[in-house]
Amino acid sequence: MQLGCGSASLDLNQPVVMGILNTTPDSFSDGGHCYRDGKLDLDLAVRRAQQMLDEGAGIIDVGGESTRPGALVVSEQQELERVVPVVEALVRELGAVVSVDTSNASVIRESAKVGAGIINDIRALQRDGALEAAAATGLPVCLMHMQGEPDTMQKAPAYEKDVLESVVDFLRERIATCNTAGITNERILLDPGFGFGKTLDHNLQLLARLGEMAKLGFPLLVGLSRKSMLGALLQRDVNERLPGSLALAIAAAERGASIIRVHDVAATVDALRVMSAVQSMQA
């Protein structure tokens, strides 16, 4: 499958690695990496993106608002200042396919103007104006399931019915809403939202049954890198979770995930190449 991303196209017939570029000072794993003397440094952001592209990333995901559990909402102006100049630089200087991790209509519009290729929204275009803004860009959108908001989502999350059924029901509703707004199925990706309003058991259930979600016929994007579920499962600090992250990436790809969103690009690319080589030998 080819995914049109503005002026670029992505081949999703093999899993694509999405490299995370947080332009925030407080993201759970890499906050502040693009900052110098307390200010966002565009050169540092471009250098980090170039490194990830060299390591094999097919997409750079730029986010200007931390969505870790307990994170506070930033102002719309702050997010614009953190995101739009970086997107513009990555497209202009590196020719990168850039996705924008945002829920705000103004950030969607302004990022699209400077060359963003994908809108990646943890709130599935539910904020005021986001749906209309995304539809107007003509870009693909990733709709993610999240129960609650980042500041509350991990306070005893629970579901009245099967977690996969709940996630799929929500995403089906958002797909229908997108279709009504003029966003066709060919422009929609889905993300089950690992770690967003889910317990360790919920996350493991979703991953084990990811193949059922893949049968919906939409490309799946998953973000499992260094997540707190690995801390709960392995009792490892955030910077000790690479082996677990690689295991989750392989498990997701084997179950149909098309895009794997990660912090550790080179190691994930290697792991997926090995997986693909083994799969190519199967009858």
Side-chain angles (χ1 to χ4, degrees):
M1 173 185 175
Q2 296 293 318
L3 181 70
C5 302
S7 60
S9 180
L10 278 177
D11 183 359
L12 298 184
N13 291 309
Q14 292 291 332
V16 173
V17 172
M18 171 185 276
I20 298 169
L21 185 67
N22 285 318
T23 59
T24 57
D26 59 342
S27 291
F28 83 97
S29 178
D30 61 349
H33 284 197
C34 294
Y35 282 68
R36 194 195 308 268
D37 299 326
K39 295 182 179 179
L40 179 64
D41 188 305
L42 200 56
D43 288 340
L44 286 178
V46 170
R47 265 186 267 165
R48 176 61 183 140
Q50 182 65 72
Q51 178 187 352
M52 291 191 287
L53 292 172
D54 291 344
E55 292 172 347
I59 310 166
I60 304 298
D61 190 48
V62 177
E65 178 185 12
S66 176
T67 54
R68 61 180 172 79
L72 299 177
V73 176
V74 302
S75 73
E76 194 168 299
Q77 186 59 36
Q78 267 186 310
E79 190 181 353
L80 283 166
E81 291 171 357
R82 290 175 178 179
V83 170
V84 177
V86 174
V87 173
E88 184 174 23
L90 300 190
V91 174
R92 181 185 66 245
E93 298 181 27
L94 306 181
V97 176
V98 178
S99 64
V100 179
D101 181 0
T102 187
S103 300
N104 284 325
S106 61
V107 181
I108 291 171
R109 285 192 297 268
E110 296 306 312
S111 297
K113 287 178 184 177
V114 297
I118 302 172
I119 307 303
N120 181 20
D121 185 6
I122 66 167
R123 297 176 178 85
L125 302 178
Q126 293 183 98
R127 273 191 177 169
D128 289 347
L131 178 64
E132 294 77 12
T137 68
L139 297 175
V141 301
C142 183
L143 308 173
M144 195 193 83
H145 175 274
M146 174 172 62
Q147 184 172 251
E149 285 288 325
D151 60 341
T152 61
M153 64 187 181
Q154 289 306 107
K155 295 180 180 178
Y159 294 85
E160 293 183 1
K161 53 185 177 182
D162 175 88
V163 63
L164 179 66
E165 184 181 352
S166 297
V167 170
V168 168
D169 285 350
F170 169 82
L171 292 174
R172 284 188 189 277
E173 183 275 326
R174 296 310 298 159
I175 291 166
T177 301
C178 285
N179 291 164
T180 300
I183 301 174
T184 62
N185 285 352
E186 291 73 23
R187 289 171 52 195
I188 295 175
L189 303 93
L190 303 179
D191 182 344
F194 291 103
F196 286 81
K198 298 166 183 80
T199 64
L200 173 60
D201 188 60
H202 292 146
N203 288 318
L204 293 175
Q205 287 183 53
L206 283 173
L207 182 56
R209 299 173 63 191
L210 195 64
E212 295 177 44
M213 186 177 290
K215 291 178 182 177
L216 294 174
F218 296 86
L220 300 183
L221 186 157
V222 300
L224 292 155
S225 177
R226 304 184 187 175
K227 285 279 175 88
S228 59
M229 64 181 288
L230 289 170
L233 190 63
L234 305 174
Q235 304 303 306
R236 298 286 187 186
D237 290 335
V238 66
N239 292 319
E240 300 176 328
R241 297 175 186 171
L242 177 57
S245 296
L246 295 177
L248 292 177
I250 294 299
E254 287 180 333
R255 289 161 175 78
S258 296
I259 299 175
I260 314 293
R261 183 178 183 272
V262 303
H263 301 87
D264 303 287
V265 171
T268 307
V269 168
D270 282 354
L272 292 173
R273 283 177 177 167
V274 173
M275 182 200 76
S276 294
V278 173
Q279 289 178 336
S280 71
M281 295 295 113
Q282 296 175 345

